Amino acid sequence: MKRPSLALLSAGVSGVLFGIGLSIARMTDPAKIWNFLDIAAIPRGGWDPSLAFVMAGGMLVGIVGLRLDRFLRMPSPLAAPAFIKTSRTRIDPPLLVGAAIFGVGWGLAGFCPGPAIANLGLAPGSVLPFVVAMFAGSWIAGQFIDLTPATRAGDFSPATPARDLTSATQAAAPVPLSHR
């Protein structure tokens, strides 16, 4: 099996496991999310901390997985040409603005992008407008944010539209499927 095929298979299996896990934990239910975000309900016993446990579990798996390459001294991942390394370690204005917009959208809609996509299989009528708007917002942002290889390496600047950078991205090193 070629690496691109293995990468697609790996992404597919990961996505299915992610969707099943979200559904089992009921994280696809907007009411469950709203009950977590409603910290004012703590005094009356209505706050639901279960999302914090799901987040902690995801972080634990992520931290172990992201450090496994160092422990096993792997030269490259099994399903991608190279490990993704970033030099971006600062908390900068684009990160804060993006996080604020994400948080407002999550709080207003009750959907995080992953659970929203997973919810397409459970209740497509109620979540489809959100998913369409989410993809539209991502596309609109992509018209204004420069995602050339230099910015992927850590130099973020909202410069030229991404659609005008075809020649620059074609000349760059291949980007793993998980970051396309």
Side-chain angles (χ1 to χ4, degrees), residues 21-166:
L22 289 173
S23 297
I24 290 172
R26 291 190 45 234
M27 292 299 127
T28 56
D29 180 4
K32 188 105 170 128
I33 306 307
W34 286 325
N35 289 338
F36 171 75
L37 294 174
D38 185 12
I39 57 173
I42 293 173
R44 63 179 191 275
W47 183 62
D48 182 358
S50 60
L51 178 58
F53 292 105
V54 172
M55 288 180 182
M59 287 173 46
L60 180 64
V61 169
I63 289 168
V64 169
L66 290 171
R67 300 296 178 235
L68 208 54
D69 66 318
R70 293 179 188 159
F71 178 73
L72 297 177
R73 294 193 170 107
M74 297 172 64
S76 68
L78 299 175
F83 287 107
I84 304 297
K85 302 291 182 187
T86 182
S87 60
R88 292 189 68 195
T89 57
R90 298 185 340 252
I91 296 176
D92 56 2
L95 174 66
L96 295 174
V97 169
I101 292 170
F102 177 88
V104 167
W106 187 18
L108 290 174
F111 286 115
C112 185
I117 292 170
N119 227 355
L120 283 173
L122 299 173
S126 66
V127 74
L128 187 61
F130 173 80
V131 172
V132 169
M134 178 181 68
F135 281 115
S138 294
W139 181 83
I140 290 167
Q143 303 307 301
F144 299 101
I145 298 172
D146 182 7
L147 293 176
T148 61
T151 58
R152 283 190 204 110
D155 179 25
F156 180 87
S157 62
T160 53
R163 67 175 184 269
D164 295 337
L165 301 170
T166 310

